[in-house]
Amino acid sequence: MSVSAPVKLTIKDYKSELHNDWCPGCGDFGILTGIQMALAQLQLDPDKVAMFSGIGCSGKTPHYINAYGFHTLHGRVLPVATGGRLANTALTVIALGGDGDGYGIGAGYFVNTGRRNLDFTYLVHNNNVYGLTKGQASPTLSKGKRTKSMPEQAIQDGINPIAMAVAAGYTFIARAYALDPKHCAQIIARAIQHKGSALVDVLQTCPTYNDLYTKEWYEGADLPEKKSRLYKLEERGYDGKVQDPSDPEEIVAKKAAAVARSYEREPIPIGVYYEALLPTYEDEIYKRIPSLKDTPLVEMDTFHRDVTPLLEAMR
Amino acid sequence: MQKNQLTWMIGGPQGSGINASAEVFAKACSRAGLRVYANIEYHSNIMGKHSFYRVRVGDEDVRSYRDNTDILVALDHETLAGDGDHRRWATHFGHLHQLNEGGGVIYDSEIDFDPSQSGRPELRFYPVPFMEIIKKALEEVGKGEQARRYEVMKNTVGLGASLALCDYPFDLVGEVIRGQFKGKRSEVGELNVRAARLAFDHVRDNFDADGFPYTLKPGPEPKARILAKGYEIAAIAKLKAGCALQTYYPISPATDESVFLEKHQREYGLLVVQCEDEISSINMAVGASHMGVRASTATSGPGFALMVEGIGFASITEAPGPVLVLYQRGGPSTGLPTRQEQGDLLFALHPAQGDFPHIVTAPGDLRETYQDIFSAFNWAERYQLPVIVLSDKKLAAIYTTIDKLELKYDQIDRGALFTGSEWTSVDAKGPNDGHAANGNGHGNGELKEYLRYALTKDGISPRSRPGIQGGRFWSTTDEHDPDGHITEGVEMRVAMMRKRMGKLALVAKAIPQDQQFTLHGAADAELTIVAWGSTKGTVLDSIKVLEAEGKKINFLQCRLMRPFPAQAVGDILRNAKRVVCIEENYSGQLATHIAAETGFLIKDRINKFDGRPFSEDEMIAAIRGALAGKTEAVVTNVR
Ligand SMILES: Cc1ncc(C[n+]2csc(CCOP(=O)(O)OP(=O)(O)O)c2C)c(N)n1
């Protein structure tokens, strides 16, 4: 028998054949490409990848990816993905959804998922609007702003997802830009490789409803001297990585630095804000049920349990 | 011949350990071969509010509680006189009215109480110096000055004193107490035994206990029956069924099940996750179900109200689960958190938007709970839908003997699976068979493309799970094509609705009839009682009493609520002479359901919605009323 060299997977192998119904020029295309590039870069077996999404334009993403795909409920993608990850730790789990999905209706899960530090990746398509419901203000739109789809200015302020992620306990926190798929892919690949809960907030244009934060705006086309409104953290010597995770002072200092950067506007930093290798939820589970370390829950034989000792104890 | 039976009650503030002594007594009786039915009433409160525990024991099977008790142990004034002295609207007036004639009241002599003013001067009153006895027990081990720290032993003192009255062998109880304090705590165990013994002796020495009318003997022979609480049986059923993940958010009276499982998660490798809310609990369980593990959750009304979107999600995506145990409690809203009600039936039957299939079953006792929860996991995987098992506060908390706990239907059935190379156990010839769109290579021996939602003949598409080579699929809460991608097409919509809804007919056919309903008693009865869930035991105990008087009554116990055995139930009801539906809710939800399913309208409904389960006495009175054509709501008498 001849041994053939392993086939190298390319970005095409991660594309489904489904016709795409996003608006032309949607930032979601960039994120989709970023995900597919990251999967190819990591050579992940499509049968071992489970994508989970919320509801919204962004929620359709898994349908366009050749991997197991679960398009779930508005705001609940994180609990569903958590259940998926717990059931089968042999898989790569990626959750994603809109900023309305993750920071609005799903805010509680966003926070509590950070507390767990489960080993998976969460991508938020942050376009400042509720896309699929036709452009209402999302939780990241600042007070007083008004896109062309809004009848009135935003009456309440936007949240700072990076700072929120820091406070919640995500151990990999990054921001990417949808129209720079290559950089986006690098960040996503790092997020996938990170051991622990990784949040990537992807700044995304919505050409149909968001006329404030457009491609041109991000490019700074309106500035007296055209200059990008984004900069890459790593290019300015910023390193958010905690070198010694056993040192609480370093953790606090790095978190503070990340939060400080997250308030920078014009230019907005993209790249990795914070990264720390801390015990994951899985690690904690393995302490309690060591056999799960080698055998994911789904592979365990749960069907031959002897419950007689429990019943005997009741006599 | 007088029956060997006794009802014993202990009341006191929450936190005073009434559970401990009640459960010790229950166990001492169970081990001695008696049958036990014990139930607790308590407030949604941690410390201080009134609670009481009733233990009914006897040679004969007991499946309900009685209004009255033979012995009452009062740890505080409120147990004797109620809470009218510190509440604008009293919630109760003490338990003296619940004593059988000539019954005994053991109370702490430190309580400011005058029996002659009790309104029941004919009762026998036994003031016992609880703290003095505790002090004496401590003095024997040189800790006399620490008595206040051991105040919680009062409940044991009350139990010890009771044994002297009813003449039950002290050693049987002492042994159980010792068994509860093992290892390092054995010293405390000895202390408790000593205090109980001193109380026992105190009553023997200081009162004329002879001639106390209510005595109890051990059973004819010691029997090692199981003495269990409902939530324990539910948890064990989940373990037995191979459940791999249990999610929960704390809520009475559902929490105990999850905590029990968490206590045993290391031995059994069942993962228990405490979630941030019930929306998370259900969705985590749905996610895990899709991943191919058996997943479940447990909650009560307020939590279920949050979970409903997850039920629709599981159903439209044909998730093979989860199994959800819904422990009903008094509603609406926060309602009566720790009290009984069968008020969530209609809600469980239609919890979310649209028409979708799910299974709802309502076991009537612990054995049925064991069977139905076990079966629920099979049904969930076989038919790829969520299953709700309706329980309630009463079933969760009763502490009762079970003669035998076994599964009549004990096979694990994981349903039709796509295993990577072939499909198993399904005839995949669907309406679109042969169409490329159906991707259905099965039948001609060749697999072209796996389709998770293939339109098969019986509507069940073999399921894959992430990680299976070649079994890749998409799934969405939107309406979808066989490949799991979104569609809004007319034809596919109709096909998918029929595919999903059609599964209910398969379920109805497959679930054994005895898991669907039971007609207890003779076919030709003058009265047919219709009831469901945890009132089963009460109805059966009551009928037994009434039958001895020559009354002919039968009992239609409805168990499978969805799909509902409409034809069979309708036939029984149409042939019945007279029908009454008895439920622990305001409106008669089962009667409403039966009317919708069978067209048979039960007008005579007896309802109880005061947050307390029917006692046997209340049930008997209600049935007598029904026989006489009177159907009124039943309210527990608190005065
Ligand atoms: C419980 C619930 N409420 C509301 C909706 C309607 N809805 C669909 S998508 C959406 C918001 C989408 O915005 P976002 O999450 O930011 O995603 P985007 O479409 O911008 O990618 C809403 C409110 C829903 N599907 N479910």
Side-chain angles (χ1 to χ4, degrees):
Chain A
M1 238 173 62
S2 68
V3 182
S4 55
V7 190
K8 192 159 160 52
L9 295 159
T10 68
I11 181 162
K12 260 180 45 206
D13 295 305
Y14 300 97
K15 287 184 177 169
S16 79
E17 286 162 18
L18 189 69
H19 174 77
N20 192 306
D21 68 359
W22 285 327
C23 304
C26 179
D28 280 334
F29 285 106
I31 302 174
L32 174 61
T33 306
I35 296 168
Q36 288 161 335
M37 284 168 72
L39 294 174
Q41 189 187 319
L42 300 174
Q43 289 292 296
L44 293 172
D45 177 353
D47 284 327
K48 301 260 181 314
V49 175
M51 307 282 314
F52 293 85
S53 66
I55 295 291
C57 299
S58 49
K60 296 179 180 176
T61 307
H63 291 284
Y64 306 128
I65 295 176
N66 190 25
Y68 280 94
F70 298 89
H71 182 193
T72 71
L73 292 172
H74 192 34
R76 319 302 180 210
V77 61
L78 286 173
V80 185
T82 297
R85 170 73 193 161
L86 292 173
N88 193 346
T89 41
L91 301 176
T92 299
V93 171
I94 300 171
L96 60 88
D99 47 339
D101 198 271
Y103 305 145
I105 189 169
Y109 315 107
F110 176 65
V111 170
N112 283 284
T113 299
R115 289 173 58 207
R116 284 192 195 100
N117 195 29
L118 202 69
D119 185 6
F120 68 4
T121 302
Y122 180 37
L123 311 176
V124 179
H125 300 222
N126 180 356
N127 58 6
N128 317 103
V129 288
Y130 285 155
L132 194 57
T133 47
K134 301 197 187 312
Q136 301 79 13
S138 91
T140 59
L141 193 69
S142 309
K143 189 169 171 174
K145 298 287 183 199
R146 180 177 163 217
T147 64
K148 67 178 175 193
S149 53
M150 294 165 60
E152 295 259 25
Q153 291 178 354
I155 197 168
Q156 53 194 350
D157 219 340
I159 58 133
N160 178 336
I162 301 288
M164 241 168 76
V166 170
Y170 286 83
T171 50
F172 180 96
I173 301 165
R175 178 164 259 166
Y177 177 49
L179 301 189
D180 184 352
K182 250 174 80 183
H183 178 258
C184 191
Q186 282 166 15
I187 298 287
I188 293 171
R190 276 181 66 181
I192 293 171
Q193 283 179 299
H194 172 74
K195 197 166 160 283
S197 286
L199 168 77
V200 185
D201 179 84
V202 191
L203 301 173
Q204 179 211 348
T205 51
C206 172
T208 306
Y209 297 117
N210 187 341
D211 57 338
L212 298 178
Y213 305 114
T214 58
K215 176 169 180 282
E216 292 71 29
W217 183 85
Y218 280 112
E219 285 168 357
D222 56 318
L223 296 175
E225 230 176 295
K226 183 177 165 179
K227 196 168 156 268
S228 173
R229 283 192 165 96
L230 301 169
Y231 80 89
K232 294 188 174 125
L233 284 164
E234 58 274 23
E235 285 176 4
R236 297 207 185 163
Y238 176 86
D239 182 4
K241 184 163 180 162
V242 173
Q243 299 302 327
D244 179 5
S246 66
D247 176 5
E249 278 178 31
E250 191 196 346
I251 289 178
V252 170
K254 289 269 158 66
K255 283 189 166 184
V259 170
R261 292 275 173 163
S262 75
Y263 281 97
E264 287 182 8
R265 301 290 295 168
E266 308 206 16
I268 303 168
I270 58 173
V272 180
Y273 281 72
Y274 175 78
E275 187 179 356
L277 271 179
L278 292 166
T280 61
Y281 196 81
E282 290 88 335
D283 292 331
E284 300 302 333
I285 290 170
Y286 301 151
K287 276 191 220 157
R288 288 163 174 77
I289 310 171
S291 55
L292 278 177
K293 195 166 182 174
D294 304 313
T295 316
L297 212 44
V298 70
E299 306 282 359
M300 269 205 333
D301 176 8
T302 56
F303 297 104
H304 296 90
R305 291 172 174 149
D306 181 10
V307 298
T308 34
L310 296 177
L311 295 171
E312 284 311 310
M314 293 175 180
R315 291 190 195 271
Chain B
M1 201 187 79
Q2 216 194 331
K3 285 182 187 167
N4 185 35
Q5 60 179 28
L6 185 89
T7 295
W8 178 84
M9 185 195 281
I10 182 166
Q14 245 143 251
S16 61
I18 62 158
N19 317 37
S21 55
E23 287 167 20
V24 163
F25 181 53
K27 195 156 228 175
C29 293
S30 165
R31 284 199 182 151
L34 297 169
R35 288 197 166 86
V36 176
Y37 182 96
N39 68 322
I40 186 167
E41 284 293 346
Y42 63 104
H43 277 85
S44 177
N45 152 271
I46 304 301
M47 228 180 267
K49 282 214 165 185
H50 180 60
S51 58
F52 65 95
Y53 214 134
R54 274 193 185 94
V55 186
R56 181 184 182 186
V57 301
D59 285 343
E60 286 177 25
D61 203 1
V62 278
R63 295 161 289 193
S64 59
Y65 74 94
R66 299 290 307 268
D67 278 346
N68 288 352
T69 182
D70 303 316
I71 296 174
L72 169 69
V73 176
L75 299 186
D76 63 356
H77 185 260
E78 183 170 336
T79 300
L80 297 167
D83 58 2
D85 58 349
H86 63 270
R87 279 188 71 96
R88 188 163 165 204
W89 289 283
T91 63
H92 72 122
F93 302 88
H95 296 285
L96 291 176
H97 69 287
Q98 288 170 331
L99 274 134
N100 281 320
E101 225 179 285
V105 182
I106 293 164
Y107 64 101
D108 188 343
S109 56
E110 280 180 28
I111 298 171
D112 181 15
F113 173 70
D114 178 1
S116 68
Q117 302 294 306
S118 68
R120 299 283 311 262
E122 87 285 5
L123 297 176
R124 300 177 184 221
F125 289 93
Y126 305 91
V128 172
F130 282 47
M131 280 316 289
E132 236 171 75
I133 287 173
I134 291 173
K135 206 166 155 207
K136 213 159 139 198
L138 285 160
E139 271 164 5
E140 290 176 16
V141 292
K143 287 185 177 173
E145 74 293 344
Q146 294 182 24
R148 280 289 155 204
R149 270 186 54 203
Y150 287 86
E151 201 174 331
V152 72
M153 292 200 324
K154 275 183 179 177
N155 67 78
T156 317
V157 173
L159 175 58
S162 310
L163 300 175
L165 282 196
C166 64
D167 203 25
Y168 195 70
F170 180 88
D171 289 344
L172 290 176
V173 172
E175 192 186 311
V176 176
I177 297 177
R178 283 192 187 95
Q180 306 222 319
F181 296 89
K182 288 206 180 108
K184 268 198 231 146
R185 295 169 68 231
S186 61
E187 210 181 301
V188 184
E190 280 311 317
L191 211 53
N192 272 277
V193 174
R194 196 167 286 139
R197 181 79 222 186
L198 286 169
F200 183 90
D201 293 342
H202 179 90
V203 172
R204 283 264 161 104
D205 298 346
N206 293 279
F207 300 103
D208 179 16
D210 282 355
F212 184 73
Y214 304 105
T215 57
L216 183 69
K217 290 191 300 289
E221 54 179 312
K223 255 226 167 90
R225 288 197 180 92
I226 291 167
L227 178 63
K229 294 191 181 143
Y231 71 80
E232 295 172 332
I233 296 302
I236 294 171
K238 288 187 173 184
L239 287 170
K240 186 91 183 145
C243 176
L245 179 75
Q246 164 100 347
T247 60
Y248 81 106
Y249 184 80
I251 190 163
S252 298
T255 313
D256 291 333
E257 182 199 295
S258 298
V259 172
F260 180 92
L261 286 171
E262 190 167 355
K263 228 191 283 176
H264 297 286
Q265 72 171 358
R266 291 175 191 233
E267 307 137 67
Y268 287 102
L270 170 143
L271 201 58
V272 179
V273 181
Q274 184 188 329
C275 301
E276 52 271 34
D277 61 27
E278 288 88 348
I279 298 176
S280 178
S281 308
I282 186 92
N283 284 303
M284 223 179 260
V286 176
S289 300
H290 270 304
M291 282 285 164
V293 306
R294 290 192 159 188
S296 69
T297 184
T299 190
S300 67
F304 186 63
L306 292 190
M307 287 186 175
V308 295
E309 59 175 19
I311 305 286
F313 167 25
S315 194
I316 193 171
T317 58
E318 304 197 48
V323 170
L324 186 162
V325 182
L326 171 52
Y327 291 94
Q328 301 163 96
R329 65 187 217 186
S333 194
T334 311
L336 296 167
T338 60
R339 309 289 177 177
Q340 169 68 7
E341 196 162 276
Q342 298 180 308
D344 299 343
L345 173 61
L346 292 177
F347 184 28
L349 283 168
H350 206 132
Q353 70 271 24
D355 279 315
F356 58 88
H358 72 315
I359 296 174
V360 181
T361 188
D365 56 30
L366 302 201
R367 291 171 62 184
E368 291 178 5
T369 299
Y370 192 55
Q371 178 68 64
D372 286 357
I373 292 180
F374 180 87
S375 300
F377 286 90
N378 285 341
W379 301 337
E381 289 195 327
R382 196 169 209 240
Y383 303 104
Q384 302 178 24
L385 39 67
V387 182
I388 297 171
V389 180
L390 279 168
S391 184
D392 57 28
K393 181 259 166 159
K394 182 177 145 196
L395 268 189
I398 45 170
Y399 194 41
T400 189
T401 38
I402 306 172
D403 279 353
K404 226 196 266 165
L405 191 67
E406 56 184 14
L407 295 166
K408 184 168 170 198
Y409 309 105
D410 63 352
Q411 294 301 307
I412 298 281
D413 177 1
R414 306 214 64 189
L417 297 172
F418 171 82
T419 55
S421 54
E422 60 180 38
W423 301 356
T424 59
S425 65
V426 89
D427 175 6
K429 281 207 190 73
N432 288 352
D433 213 24
H435 276 228
N438 198 33
N440 202 332
H442 192 79
N444 50 24
E446 150 199 20
L447 177 72
K448 294 195 184 79
E449 182 193 0
Y450 171 70
L451 292 173
R452 174 66 180 83
Y453 301 98
L455 292 163
T456 58
K457 195 167 165 192
D458 64 359
I460 294 171
S461 327
R463 61 191 173 90
S464 169
R465 61 165 177 83
I468 298 273
Q469 292 295 330
R472 233 170 9 254
F473 66 88
W474 293 273
S475 121
T476 173
T477 53
D478 283 86
E479 190 54 273
H480 40 263
D481 288 326
D483 58 6
H485 289 314
I486 299 170
T487 185
E488 297 186 20
V490 166
E491 289 181 9
M492 193 51 80
R493 161 65 172 181
V494 171
M496 282 294 168
M497 282 299 288
R498 290 200 169 128
K499 167 193 196 317
R500 288 190 298 267
M501 296 305 290
K503 294 191 287 188
L504 284 172
L506 301 183
V507 176
K509 244 195 272 167
I511 294 184
Q513 190 251 288
D514 63 349
Q515 271 184 295
Q516 302 204 18
F517 67 91
T518 306
L519 184 64
H520 303 267
D524 63 324
E526 50 187 314
L527 178 72
T528 297
I529 296 169
V530 181
W532 63 285
S534 68
T535 51
K536 175 188 173 188
T538 322
V539 173
L540 288 176
D541 278 356
S542 303
I543 289 178
K544 202 165 127 191
V545 172
L546 290 163
E547 267 175 353
E549 294 173 10
K551 306 245 178 345
K552 281 180 110 180
I553 302 163
N554 62 14
F555 164 33
L556 175 61
Q557 181 204 350
C558 292
R559 183 157 155 196
L560 184 66
M561 297 297 183
R562 192 175 197 232
F564 193 73
Q567 188 63 47
V569 165
D571 286 349
I572 292 169
L573 295 180
R574 277 184 285 271
N575 288 321
K577 289 208 182 86
R578 179 174 211 158
V579 180
V580 63
C581 190
I582 305 182
E583 300 181 62
E584 285 168 352
N585 57 44
Y586 182 87
S587 62
Q589 296 192 12
L590 175 62
T592 301
H593 184 45
I594 288 175
E597 289 283 339
T598 68
F600 187 92
L601 182 66
I602 305 172
K603 287 209 203 77
D604 286 342
R605 303 180 185 189
I606 296 178
N607 298 83
K608 193 165 194 290
F609 51 93
D610 58 7
R612 309 299 187 275
F614 274 98
S615 69
E616 182 187 309
D617 308 84
E618 289 164 345
M619 184 64 79
I620 290 171
I623 298 171
R624 282 193 212 284
L627 284 165
K630 232 176 58 193
T631 48
E632 287 174 348
V634 175
V635 181
T636 289
N637 175 24
V638 291
R639 304 181 189 242

